Amino acid sequence: MTAKPTALTALPHDLKPDLLPRHIAVIMDGNGRWAKQRGLPRIMGHRRGVDTLKKLLRCCRDWGIGALTAYAFSTENWGRPIGEVDFLMTLFERVLRKELKEMMEEDVRIQFVGDLSALPDTLQREIDRAVADTQVNQGIRFSVATNYGGRQEILQACRAIADQVQQGHLAPHEIDESLFSRYLYTSNISDPDLLIRTSGEMRISNFLLWQLAYSEFYITDTLWPDFDQAEFHQALIAYQQRHRRFGKIENS
Ligand code: FPP
């Protein structure tokens, strides 16, 4: 299939292409507050949040960022009012159906991280289709964390590794960081270089607990639906000014 890609937005001149994060993770917080500030139901914030995510994905693609991972629904989010949970499940399904054509045109490879077995069957089918269809694409790797929890991810990795040990396929001394990472949902992507969190909360909320060990954090008071290209640009400027030491000391 050859489709016409949308025109690319050039990388701003004050960003260095060789210092861009390869993988960005984002906690899209503040949808409910955004809606409340406008006297709207919370779901309107989620709806607007999808537009923000679409724009960010396109911008990452245009600017040459290889991977974007978005926290769409946590293992704790089931505790929200049933109406909001139902709305979100239906929203994910509708967005996937509606955006598949565009993801193909824009060369996006989508994947989901989390325990998908608890999601509604109709959503699981839409996920399977989107993942299968976009696997041929070569562009940005877009991961959607859905029914995702960092602790739950680590536990499922431990169980799988213990199983391998029990069956005699693996010796305990062979379990190192590299092996452990291969049992995580994110085994095919590098750890995030940059985590962006909107709405000013200073926590990681059970997101990518293992993978964020050495990521740089950019936290902004902006609510997710208002997070735009100008602010993303600012986040990247801030990232490029950081000195990443990975626990070591700076080279003189
Ligand atoms: C957090 O804001 C946001 C969510 C729990 C849902 C985010 C989901 C989307 C933006 C849709 C993404 C869609 C696809 C298909 C990937 P909040 O409700 O916690 O806001 P609050 O803290 O102001 O209450």
Side-chain angles (χ1 to χ4, degrees), residues 77-135:
N77 285 155
W78 296 108
R80 292 186 175 213
I82 183 77
E84 184 170 339
V85 170
D86 284 350
F87 176 84
L88 281 168
M89 295 298 145
T90 310
L91 180 70
F92 298 152
E93 202 176 312
R94 230 184 24 233
V95 169
L96 280 177
R97 200 175 307 124
K98 187 163 162 277
E99 302 302 329
L100 184 54
K101 184 166 170 276
E102 203 161 323
M103 286 193 287
M104 295 306 293
E105 287 170 3
E106 302 203 346
D107 209 19
V108 173
R109 270 179 299 174
I110 196 170
Q111 67 181 15
F112 284 75
V113 295
D115 176 7
L116 307 182
S117 66
L119 302 176
D121 289 347
T122 47
L123 175 55
Q124 287 189 45
R125 278 199 291 278
E126 218 52 67
I127 288 175
D128 289 346
R129 189 159 77 104
V131 170
D133 285 9
T134 62
Q135 280 324 288

Side-chain angles (χ1 to χ4, degrees), residues 57 60-61 65-68 106-110 138-142:
L57 178 63
C60 286
R61 177 200 73 143
I65 289 155
L68 176 70
E106 302 203 346
D107 209 19
V108 173
R109 270 179 299 174
I110 196 170
Q138 301 292 314
I140 185 165
R141 165 70 71 190
F142 177 40

Side-chain angles (χ1 to χ4, degrees), residues 28-33 42 46 49-50 53 72 77 80 84 88 91-92 95 144 224:
M28 311 180 284
D29 198 13
N31 292 346
R33 274 162 284 173
R42 292 175 53 82
H46 297 314
V50 173
L53 182 58
N77 285 155
R80 292 186 175 213
E84 184 170 339
L88 281 168
L91 180 70
F92 298 152
V95 169
V144 185
W224 175 250

Side-chain angles (χ1 to χ4, degrees), residues 161 163-171 174 183:
I161 291 170
D163 195 48
Q164 290 295 302
V165 173
Q166 196 174 38
Q167 290 186 43
H169 300 315
L170 196 63
E174 293 175 300
Y183 282 81

Side-chain angles (χ1 to χ4, degrees), residues 203-248:
R203 49 177 178 261
I204 55 174
S205 302
N206 205 10
F207 190 39
L208 302 176
L209 295 181
W210 173 277
Q211 299 87 335
L212 291 173
Y214 286 105
S215 309
E216 296 294 328
F217 286 16
Y218 178 88
I219 297 176
T220 170
D221 286 337
T222 302
L223 303 177
W224 175 250
D226 290 329
F227 185 82
D228 59 10
Q229 185 169 313
E231 178 130 25
F232 182 47
H233 182 183
Q234 283 313 306
L236 294 178
I237 297 264
Y239 172 80
Q240 295 202 330
Q241 287 166 353
R242 305 273 176 91
H243 300 283
R244 302 189 74 191
R245 295 191 299 271
F246 300 95
K248 305 185 182 82

Side-chain angles (χ1 to χ4, degrees), residues 153 156-157 160-161 164 170 178-185 187:
E153 178 184 38
Q156 67 79 33
I161 291 170
Q164 290 295 302
L170 196 63
S178 156
L179 180 132
F180 195 82
S181 298
R182 292 202 293 277
Y183 282 81
L184 298 174
Y185 298 128
S187 58

